[in-house]
Amino acid sequence: MIGELGVIRADMSASSSLALPHIAKLHAYTPGIQPTEAGWVKLNTNECPYPPSPRVAEALRRELADEGAALRLYPNPKSSGLRAAVAALHARDHAALTAANVCIGNGSDDILNLLIRAYVSNDAAAGFTLPSYSLYPVLVEIQNGRTNVIEFDRSLRLPVDRITASTARAFFLTSPNAPTGVAFANADLERVLASYRGLLVVDEAYAPFATENAIPLLARYPNLVVVRTLSKAHALAGIRVGYALARYDIIEVLDRVRDSYNVNRLSQVAAIAAVGDVAYYDGIIGRVKATRDAFITECRDHRGWFTYPSQSNFIFTEPKNARGESGPAVSLAAYQFLVANKILIRHFPSHALTAPFLRISVGTDAEMRVLSETLDAWLKVPAPAP
């Protein structure tokens, strides 16, 4: 038996060596920890702390009637009903938007993958800022493409001139930014769009929590793509639905490279129900923003921690220890203390700008109280001598 297992392992090793060279060197995207046991306060993956609209469960029950007989059929290949619902949702920001301006994906990550598949290669670079969503470089590496990276300084001001001068075929910009939560004004985005010759992809995963979004700019700039998700504000991370808004010709390109049935029946049904319940989600978003703003005030005023002005559903703060010190070692110590007390947040040690900070998803008021009490306990632990 041991010999047979040895042969199997040898065969597997030989098979993996057949992978393309750039895939063999690929470092996969690392998502936030997803605990499988109870008792954790989970503030690490920017999920909504509240349940989705009751209309979602109702719609799913209807779809699963008759012992789920509908599941034997393929889903609508273009998610046509959902495209129309998304266009209607955003009519208040862009009255001329129609279903022809919408592409639906298996989460916004699927949309990002389609954009890179269609527009990026070794001869046509993808641009993005750093720090930013860490999936971008992974998708580019999978495509065996080339990157054009523009680094932020601590001010987090949008480097308009550097982006407009970029030779990237497509430039990916998270607004509000991940992981800092800082949003970029439409006036600055317009300065980029007026001069940049490539495709500007504004990744608006967190825009429902912001004061402004880029959707109104679609009417004036043909090289703009806005990407959204239902995982954050709409509390449907487990459903996996995202979408792109753009001119018809860009949507048509994405449909060429999209899997024929990329969004399943249940996801389409749930998403249509969710985007139709605007009043419910306006209430949820308001609650998250109120909790977010209260915690930012606590970090700044009560603790004296530098904290970026967030327009997302998370906070990016620079902790200080009991001696008033900050830096990568301090943020790591705070992170480890929280994990030891079953509170999950995120720490990004691989970049000089992010290493001194912690990213904290906004939870319920009760969860944020537990976090605050645990941080108070951490501050009472004597800091190690320098």
Side-chain angles (χ1 to χ4, degrees), residues 20-63:
L20 295 172
H22 71 281
I23 298 297
K25 296 184 292 184
L26 178 70
H27 293 286
Y29 173 74
T30 304
I33 297 169
Q34 297 285 352
T36 56
E37 60 186 36
W40 287 88
V41 175
K42 190 173 184 299
L43 305 173
N44 66 327
T45 48
N46 301 339
E47 293 145 325
C48 182
Y50 303 107
S53 163
R55 295 185 189 179
V56 171
E58 182 183 338
L60 289 172
R61 282 192 292 269
R62 287 198 303 268
E63 189 70 11

Side-chain angles (χ1 to χ4, degrees), residues 127-132 149-152 159 163 171-174 177:
F128 51 87
T129 60
L130 195 67
S132 189
V149 180
I150 295 176
E151 298 225 12
F152 281 116
I163 295 174
F171 197 95
F172 294 79
L173 179 69
T174 51
N177 174 259

Side-chain angles (χ1 to χ4, degrees), residues 24 53 95 134 186 321 349 378:
S53 163
S134 57
N186 278 2
N321 62 18
W378 172 67

Side-chain angles (χ1 to χ4, degrees), residues 2 19 43 64 112 170 206 292 303 312 318 350:
I2 294 174
L43 305 173
L64 291 171
L112 297 172
Y206 304 102
R292 174 197 70 193
R303 305 187 192 284
S312 62
E318 186 176 30
S350 61

Side-chain angles (χ1 to χ4, degrees), residues 43-44 46 177-182 206 288-300 305-319 345-348 357-364 368 371-372 375:
L43 305 173
N44 66 327
N46 301 339
N177 174 259
T180 66
V182 173
Y206 304 102
V288 170
K289 288 165 67 175
T291 303
R292 174 197 70 193
D293 294 346
F295 193 77
I296 289 174
T297 298
E298 178 182 325
C299 287
R300 288 176 175 168
W305 295 358
F306 174 81
T307 305
Y308 280 105
S310 176
Q311 292 199 44
S312 62
N313 66 338
F314 56 85
I315 295 109
F316 204 58
T317 189
E318 186 176 30
I345 60 170
R346 290 300 296 269
H347 180 235
F348 301 97
F357 287 80
L358 299 174
R359 193 198 72 188
I360 301 166
S361 303
V362 176
T364 63
M368 302 308 280
L371 172 65
S372 293
L375 287 172

